[in-house]
């Protein structure tokens, strides 16, 4: 925490996985073909800054929440798309900011923060857009999307899906994979939208949780 840039990733095929970044001026600065999975980026100035090049980074199964800027993508020299897969972007002042780049968003939650695009193309599929103001005519809200409260366990503190969430089983299995920030392999049954795979409690655990609530 408290770094100008917590991690700067400019080496092709480098991986940033299962880490938390909190209270930095910039959490992650990415270019080339860096791969990000299972990270939690919260309460930073800039969450993830991405400069696209010949081979775009990929961000999956990750949380970007409560930052000034969530994910900012710049692509003046880009020749490929950035993929955001099973990413939860929530409660940032600027949620997804895209300038002169092509971004594909799949199986993701964008909740209570705006999507802003300039000279860009943003394709959103099988995702939940809840109170996500869209600024820019180049955002294509396409197939399989929801526009419902994702029903987090505790907005915007615990961004796992509660048992009431419409995001459970509403994603597309063709795009899902890897492990979520809790280390749960995906999918476990249906294809859930967002960073966390929903793991149902067994009946005894559910009863104890209800008593504790």
């Amino acid at each position: 925490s408290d770094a100008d840039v917590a991690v700067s990733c400019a080496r092709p095929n480098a991986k940033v996985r299962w880490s938390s970044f909190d209270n930095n001026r910039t959490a992650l600065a990415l270019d080339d073909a860096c791969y990000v999975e299972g990270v939690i980026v919260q309460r930073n100035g800039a969450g993830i800054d991405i400069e696209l090049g010949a081979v775009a980074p990929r961000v999956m199964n990750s949380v970007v929440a409560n930052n000034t800027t969530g994910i900012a993508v710049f692509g003046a020299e880009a020749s490929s798309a950035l993929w955001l897969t099973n990413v939860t972007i929530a409660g940032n002042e600027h949620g997804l900011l895209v300038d002169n780049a092509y971004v594909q968003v799949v199986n993701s939650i964008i909740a209570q923060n705006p999507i802003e695009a300039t000279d860009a193309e943003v394709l959103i599929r099988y995702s939940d857009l809840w109170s996500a103001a869209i600024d820019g005519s180049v955002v294509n809200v396409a197939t399989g999307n929801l526009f419902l409260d994702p029903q987090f366990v505790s907005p915007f503190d615990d961004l796992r899906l509660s048992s009431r969430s419409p995001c459970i089983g509403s994603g597309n299995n063709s795009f899902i994979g890897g492990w979520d920030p809790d280390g749960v392999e995906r999918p476990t049954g249906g294809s859930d939208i967002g960073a966390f795979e929903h793991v149902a409690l067994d009946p005894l655990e559910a009863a104890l949780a209800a008593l504790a609530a």
Side-chain angles (χ1 to χ4, degrees):
S1 64
D2 200 29
D4 284 333
V5 179
V7 171
S8 180
C9 181
R11 183 165 53 90
N13 301 314
K15 294 179 173 63
V16 181
R17 308 172 91 176
W18 302 300
S19 302
S20 294
F21 301 91
D22 197 319
N23 290 315
N24 301 282
R25 280 170 282 284
T26 298
L28 296 173
L30 310 177
D31 57 20
D32 290 315
C34 299
Y35 178 87
V36 175
E37 180 178 15
V39 304
I40 297 177
V41 177
Q42 56 186 354
R43 294 183 292 274
N44 301 277
I48 305 179
D49 281 354
I50 301 172
E51 189 77 38
L52 297 186
V55 181
R58 180 164 186 163
V59 181
M60 64 188 298
N61 299 328
S62 294
V63 173
V64 183
N66 305 316
N67 305 281
T68 302
T69 300
I71 299 179
V73 187
F74 307 95
E77 300 180 6
S79 57
S80 60
L82 168 68
W83 281 77
L84 301 176
T85 308
N86 285 100
V87 178
T88 296
I89 305 170
N92 305 282
E93 186 175 332
H94 304 279
L96 177 60
L97 177 63
V98 184
D99 185 8
N100 197 19
Y102 179 34
V103 177
Q104 293 224 32
V105 181
V106 183
N107 287 350
S108 294
I109 297 172
I110 302 177
Q112 293 193 335
N113 42 206
I115 304 167
E116 301 161 84
T118 305
D119 295 328
E121 183 178 356
V122 181
L123 177 62
I124 303 175
R125 294 175 289 168
Y126 304 103
S127 295
D128 187 11
L129 308 177
W130 172 244
S131 190
I134 297 174
D135 177 15
S137 60
V138 292
V139 178
N140 181 2
V141 179
T143 307
N145 293 299
L146 305 175
F147 303 89
L148 301 171
D149 185 342
Q151 296 287 335
F152 295 126
V153 169
S154 179
F156 288 87
D157 180 27
D158 185 344
L159 298 181
R160 295 170 182 83
L161 302 177
S162 73
S163 60
R164 306 180 303 278
S165 175
C167 297
I168 297 171
S170 296
N172 187 309
N173 269 336
S174 299
F175 301 101
I176 202 167
W179 288 264
D180 78 0
D182 288 334
V184 177
E185 188 171 7
R186 312 191 77 161
T188 57
S191 177
D192 299 338
I193 293 173
F196 290 101
E197 186 79 356
H198 179 70
V199 179
L201 299 176
D202 66 34
L204 177 58
E205 289 175 319
L208 291 173
L211 288 172

